[in-house]
Structure formats: C-alpha cells, structure tokens
Amino acid sequence: MRVVFMGTPKFAAAILEDLAQQHEVAAVYTRPDAVRGRGKRLEPSAVKAAAERLGLSVRTPRTLRDEAVQRELAALAPDVVCVAAYGAILPKAVLDLPRHGCLNVHASLLPRWRGAAPIERAILAGDEETGVCVMRMEEGLDTGAYCVCRTTSVAGKSAADLTEELADLGSHALLTALVRVERGVDAWTEQDEGRATYAEKVGKGELDLSPEAPAGILARRVLASSAAHPSRAVVAGRSLTVLRASEAEGEARALAEGLAPGGVRFAGKRLLLGTADGALEVLSCKPDGKQAMDAKAFAAGVRGIKDGNLTWEEPRV
C-alpha cells in the first residue's frame, strides 16, 4: 500500500526500516531537528536519519494542525498513515484523511500504559509482561481499538533492551495488520476503559536512588533509566550514574548482612549499598567526569571503602 509514516526515536526508525521494504512509503514525517549534546548542535531524529539513508522524502512540520501542512499531506494520497512514537497529536483532519485510517504501533498491552512512557512504566511497576499493539487511532489518547498484539516478558530487561525488542515485535505486528487491512479481514478489539492506566513522562530526578527505598524498586529504577533519565546517587561522596545494578541475592545478600540503609560495603569484589530492606549491588557506574567502569574499578579509587564506614545518599536537587 501507499503509506505515510510518522515517527521520531530509534523505536520508530527500526519499524520504518522494515516497512519500507514491504510498502511504498510516500513520505516520512518526524519532529524537527533538536538541540542535543554539549555543543548545542541541531541533530536529526533517528527516523529522519533512517529515512534519508533509505532515500525517502522527509517532512518536519512543527504541527499537523496547520492547514497548509494538511493540504500537503492530502496531496500524497496515502492509503494509510502508520505512526510510531511520533511525539505530536494528530488532529481529526489528519485522522480522517487516509481511506484505511491511521494505525499506531504502541509499546504496551493496551489499555495498560497509554501515554508517553509505556516501556519505563512497565519496568517501574514490576509488570511481568508487556508488548506492542497496533491500534486504530482516534482523537482520544491511545484509546482506539487494536487488531494485532505481541507480548514479551519484562523481568531483568533494561529500557534499552525492551525498546529494541518491542520495535522488532512492533514492526512485524504492523506488517501483519497492514496485510489484514488491505485484504479487508481485519478484526478490531475495543479497549476496556476500566483497565486503563496512564504512562506519564518520566520526571527529572525520578529515577535517582535513595537509601529509604526497597532494593527491588531501586533495581527497577536502574533498569528503566537512560541517558535522558539517569539513575543518580552519591556514593562515598562521589556523584555518579548507576548503569547496572541488581537486588542483592544469594552470596551478595550474605555479604551485605548487617548493612544499614545508607551504608556502603565492598566485599568479595562486590559493591553493596544498604537499602530499606536489604542491599543493592552496583555492577557498573559512571562517576561524574569519568568513563563508565565496573564496581571493582570504582571501589579501587575510593579510600577506606573496605573499612565499612562510608555512606551513600540520594543526590540533592
């Protein structure tokens, strides 16, 4: 079919790559270039970079509510508009434009985790499974009926791991949905409003680590973290980002015996932080101004860490 694709981050770029192999992509819509990094340079979205590599036409309007933008989109005469993490609202004029409507690849098992951060919220809530749904878009936020879903487990997976996996599942789900739509054999399931939950954006500092929290919750914060929303802590007076961590179990839990909340212990080549109900084992971290390193390398640079008198705390905003 003739498709217009709308998306912005890496999750969407992976879906575009597969879509372009199976269908005619008339144009790609993505968010305008954004200022990133210390150099304050304008950088294209992952979708724009992928589209240009594929030789596809790219549009970056600031809004789809502009009538001129809508006329330009209508002139493309798409059979369907496919959306994945676009980052902007589609007005009714756009939703009504293609004859097969607008299909959204949403990274959750709807109606759970409608909204902006479904992957992070599934991790933070301790969900056992998540997935993707191909949804028929309407004016409500992720409220439309869905026709294809794919599931996967959440346990132990980081936000980056899940994003990559769900992009792959979402790509195949979208291609399946398009075949069904084109053949007229698509079947839609309405969402149960009574089961709906909202995945609000991750707030600044929300994933920082605190000794007052249980170890399991802290471990999930680290799994849900990213460069945009890091898990920060101050360990032995050093500000750092915790990159990998897990709830202390087995040998690590035994080594942490008697460690009070807010205490630090390095034993058996393990870096342990005392929490409300046990300990968090730090596996790798990135001290401010330095490269990422494993726990042993970090501990080697901390004087007195084996004496057991050091503390850790949540960063002060």
Side-chain angles (χ1 to χ4, degrees), residues 2 4 29-31 39 49 59 78 99 102 113 125 155 157 177 181 207 222 241 259 261 277 293 301:
R2 184 172 172 83
V4 164
Y29 283 67
T30 189
R31 303 302 294 151
R59 318 284 170 88
R99 64 190 180 97
C102 299
W113 302 130
K157 296 175 183 175
V181 167
L207 303 184
V222 175
T241 297
L259 186 61
D277 65 346
M293 59 186 68

Side-chain angles (χ1 to χ4, degrees), residues 124 202-214 217-234 239-242 273 280 288 312-317:
L124 291 171
V202 177
K204 182 178 181 181
E206 182 181 346
L207 303 184
D208 287 348
L209 306 182
S210 168
E212 286 76 35
I217 289 178
L218 296 178
R220 293 202 294 270
R221 288 182 191 174
V222 175
L223 286 172
S225 68
S226 62
H229 300 287
S231 285
R232 304 272 298 158
V234 178
S239 296
L240 51 81
T241 297
V242 177
L273 308 182
L280 181 75
D288 290 0
W312 75 283
E313 61 184 349
E314 184 175 7
R316 293 181 176 85
V317 179

